[in-house]
């Protein structure tokens, strides 16, 4: 594979992405860029191409921490360094793999030298390598949370602090942080979103001409990487020179009181939390002015800064689509009079040299095109943030007073009638903690269930299986101590051999597969009731998002069950499917349970270490045997009982959310929960702030339900 990167200026369209990257190159204090978009939209290509545009850096010869020779870090572990001449080298782009360990990121004690030579030698990590360069995290949403915390703390403080295994080290770590992610694979937590300075949404162009240009440039690059890069060398040189000039101009840019008031009013108007948004907007607007060759910040700089710095901060919950209301933004900015003198038009602050109109020729290794927001090009039909497909549902003309509908709660009369229109979910709430009992293997990073993990609290020690990852020092010393005389120990040193090494075993939390099985039949179709049910499922989805779970959605109604959403890390997609869920028809409960069993079987083959949690949302009625199979014999109730017992026999942890309402209740959801071997939780009991004692945690209720399952049968 060629070492020649696709030229930055040859990327077609993607104006916001390129501008955000270049603003960080001008002013690293902006705080980095988070690039969100579908696969194959040149996210990685643009980031890797940026490193060629950064000016060379002068470093102290031999310093592993890239100290600047003019002002070396006084606390550098390789120091102290005397100020003086250095050697120039290109700015580095360091890539953090998703599976990296914390030791690889921050550095750690060199175990071999510590044991063999008795010295505390620090081995620097990727944060030290990235100092004064770019740190790139592809698929940052799949990175372990504790690594993201460490990474963003270092980016915010400009330094890395390492306290471990008797080593106490601090070194500078100032870098341009760039993260890319595909929202379909899961979201970042809001706290982590806020730590990225800017965010950009990218999508593939729907314009044939732009897509053709993407393919043309990509094929030309693959045929002759060096020749293709040479044809863009002049444009690359111009942009590189512009970055250097903007960096030199940046300290002279004036941010006056009017610009500051515009920034403050914008952040207040969009109700963003905290003050980080104001600070980032101020730095971004200043960088925009420097990039345009001006020493004063204008209204258009503040507007562009808001479009880059606020979309990911104004989201009130994970299911809100990112983006800003631009009409509202203009209204806020227009409250303040323009005090800039009329001058000749400034050059359009685009990050490209000539040939600005081309598409993004370097999609992520696959040749798929990027968005088409280049100057003079038609905009794509889908607006920014369109990946969140939460279109409004059809609602009644008077939603505050829903018209009573035929209630099949006391039977199934009318359940085979026409399909009911989808209703909106009620407001989500904080739910009780549901978890899978036992101890998992920690294959999926998350926060729901106990598991053996690579990170967490130390619970013991064992002999390493393969490469030693985390030394348990006390256990290693204890293993070596009895053999010192036989090994001819002399002096105060400890003779340690490979067989003495012990690895720490740790216990943390893992994410689970939460599979929702939702009853959408006529017995659940009353509008107000279904709104409450959807609100409960939405609350559970929000909980799954916060605990880093994978989710799936099975619905059953009419004659069969269907997999509405295959297991995915995108709870946004599950929430969108839930909002559009129609209701009506009979209740094939057995078909829903069997469909869930099949989904779990397939998912177990794909991801054996991720344990499932089955959440069945129903009133427990079973009025149809549809979808079960022609060979099945028995009443709908008997078939659903057999399906539940099958799931129980396979060790699936289940929770039944009882949605039965009305003065007469049959308790069928409780019977289903007993068949599944799990608890039954009412909608009210699902709330985390409900009265204590309504329902026990799953871990304590599995055993109690097993003893009563035999005498809770209802034909």
């Amino acid at each position: 594979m060629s070492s020649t990167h696709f030229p930055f200026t040859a990327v077609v369209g993607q104006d916001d992405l390129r501008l955000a990257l270049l603003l960080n190159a001008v002013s690293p204090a902006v705080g980095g860029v988070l690039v969100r978009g579908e696969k194959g939209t040149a996210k990685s290509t643009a980031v890797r191409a940026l490193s060629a545009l950064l000016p060379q850096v002068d470093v102290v010869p031999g310093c592993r921490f890239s100290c600047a020779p003019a002002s070396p870090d006084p606390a550098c572990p390789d120091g102290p360094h005397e100020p003086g001449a250095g050697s120039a080298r290109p700015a580095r782009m360091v890539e953090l793999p998703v599976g990296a360990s914390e030791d690889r990121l921050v550095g750690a004690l060199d175990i071999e030298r510590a044991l063999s030579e008795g010295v505390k030698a620090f081995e620097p990590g990727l944060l030290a390598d990235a100092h004064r360069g770019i740190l790139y995290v592809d698929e940052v949403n799949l990175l372990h949370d504790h690594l993201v915390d460490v990474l963003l703390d270092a980016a915010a403080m400009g330094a890395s602090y390492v306290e471990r295994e008797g080593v106490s080290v601090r070194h500078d770590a100032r870098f341009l942080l760039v993260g890319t992610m595909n929202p379909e694979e899961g979201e970042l937590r809001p706290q982590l979103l806020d730590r990225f300075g800017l965010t950009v949404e990218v999508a593939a162009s729907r314009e044939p001409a732009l897509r053709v240009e993407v393919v043309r440039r990509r094929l030309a690059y693959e045929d002759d990487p060096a020749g293709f890069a040479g044809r863009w060398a002049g444009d690359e040189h111009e942009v590189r020179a512009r970055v250097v000039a903007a960096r030199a101009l940046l300290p002279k840019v004036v941010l006056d009181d009017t610009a500051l008031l515009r920034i403050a009013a914008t952040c207040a108007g969009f109700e963003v939390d905290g003050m980080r948004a104001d600070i980032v907007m101020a730095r971004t607007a200043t960088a925009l002015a420097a990039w345009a060759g001006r020493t004063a910040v204008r209204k258009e700089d503040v507007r562009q800064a808001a479009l880059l710095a606020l979309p990911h901060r104004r989201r009130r919950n994970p299911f809100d689509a990112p983006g800003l209301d631009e009409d509202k933004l203009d209204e806020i900015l227009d409250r303040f009079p323009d005090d800039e003198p009329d001058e000749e038009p400034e050059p359009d602050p685009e990050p490209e040299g000539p040939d600005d109109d081309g598409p993004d020729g370097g999609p992520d290794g696959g040749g798929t095109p990027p968005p088409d927001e280049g100057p003079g090009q038609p905009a794509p039909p889908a607006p920014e943030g369109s990946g969140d497909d939460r279109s409004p549902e059809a609602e009644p003309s008077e939603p505050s007073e829903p018209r009573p509908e035929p209630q099949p709660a006391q039977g199934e009369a009318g359940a085979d009638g026409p399909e009911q229109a989808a209703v909106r979910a009620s407001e989500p709430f904080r739910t009780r903690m549901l978890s899978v009992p036992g101890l998992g293997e920690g294959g999926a990073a998350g926060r729901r269930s106990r598991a053996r993990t690579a990170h967490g609290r130390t619970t013991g020690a064992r002999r390493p299986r393969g490469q030693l990852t985390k030394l348990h020092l006390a256990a290693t010393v204890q293993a070596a101590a009895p053999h010192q005389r036989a090994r001819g120990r002399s002096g105060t040193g400890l003779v340690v051999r490979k067989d003495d090494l012990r690895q720490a075993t740790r216990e943390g939390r893992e994410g689970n597969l939460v599979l929702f099985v939702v009853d959408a039949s006529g017995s659940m179709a009353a509008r107000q009731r279904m709104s409450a049910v959807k609100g409960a499922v939405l609350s559970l989805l929000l909980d799954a998002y916060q605990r880093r779970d994978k989710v799936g959605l099975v619905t059953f109604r009419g004659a069969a069950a269907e997999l509405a959403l295959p297991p995915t890390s995108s709870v946004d997609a599950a929430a969108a499917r839930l909002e559009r869920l129609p209701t009506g028809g009979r209740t094939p409960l057995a078909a829903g349970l069997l469909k869930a069993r099949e989904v779990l079987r397939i998912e177990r083959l794909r991801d054996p270490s991720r344990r499932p949690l089955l959440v069945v949302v129903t009133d427990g009625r079973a009025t149809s045997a549809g979808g079960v199979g022609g060979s099945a014999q028995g009443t709908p109730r008997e078939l659903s009982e057999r399906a539940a017992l099958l799931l129980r026999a396979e060790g699936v942890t289940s929770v039944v959310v009882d949605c039965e309402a009305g003065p007469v209740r049959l308790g069928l959801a409780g019977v289903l929960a007993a068949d599944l071997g799990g608890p039954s939780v009412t909608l009210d009991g699902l709330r985390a702030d409900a009265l204590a004692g309504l329902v026990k945690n799953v871990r304590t209720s599995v055993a109690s339900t097993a003893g009563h399952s035999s005498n809770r049968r209802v034909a």
Side-chain angles (χ1 to χ4, degrees), residues 212 277 441 473 523 539 572 613 701:
V212 166
E441 293 300 322
L473 190 57
S523 66
S539 303
D572 285 8
L613 174 63
S701 54

Side-chain angles (χ1 to χ4, degrees), residues 532-556:
V533 169
K534 286 188 175 183
V537 179
L538 190 65
S539 303
L540 290 166
L541 281 171
L542 182 60
D543 180 71
Y545 162 79
Q546 293 167 340
R547 300 188 190 280
R548 314 291 285 174
D549 293 319
K550 201 173 181 180
V551 297
L553 179 63
V554 171
T555 63
F556 58 94

Side-chain angles (χ1 to χ4, degrees), residues 636-695:
R637 171 69 192 107
E638 291 171 342
L639 293 174
S640 64
E641 178 182 350
R642 292 177 205 163
L645 293 175
L646 278 174
L647 286 163
R648 179 176 178 175
E650 293 171 358
V652 177
T653 300
S654 304
V655 179
V656 176
V657 179
D658 184 357
C659 302
E660 191 173 26
V664 179
R665 304 195 180 193
L666 303 180
L668 296 176
V671 176
L672 175 63
D675 293 336
L676 288 167
S680 174
V681 185
T682 64
L683 287 178
D684 289 336
L686 189 63
R687 295 178 179 270
D689 56 357
L691 294 176
L694 285 176
V695 62

Side-chain angles (χ1 to χ4, degrees), residues 526-537:
R527 186 170 293 274
Q528 289 179 328
R529 187 169 164 205
M530 197 63 193
S531 176
V533 169
K534 286 188 175 183
V537 179

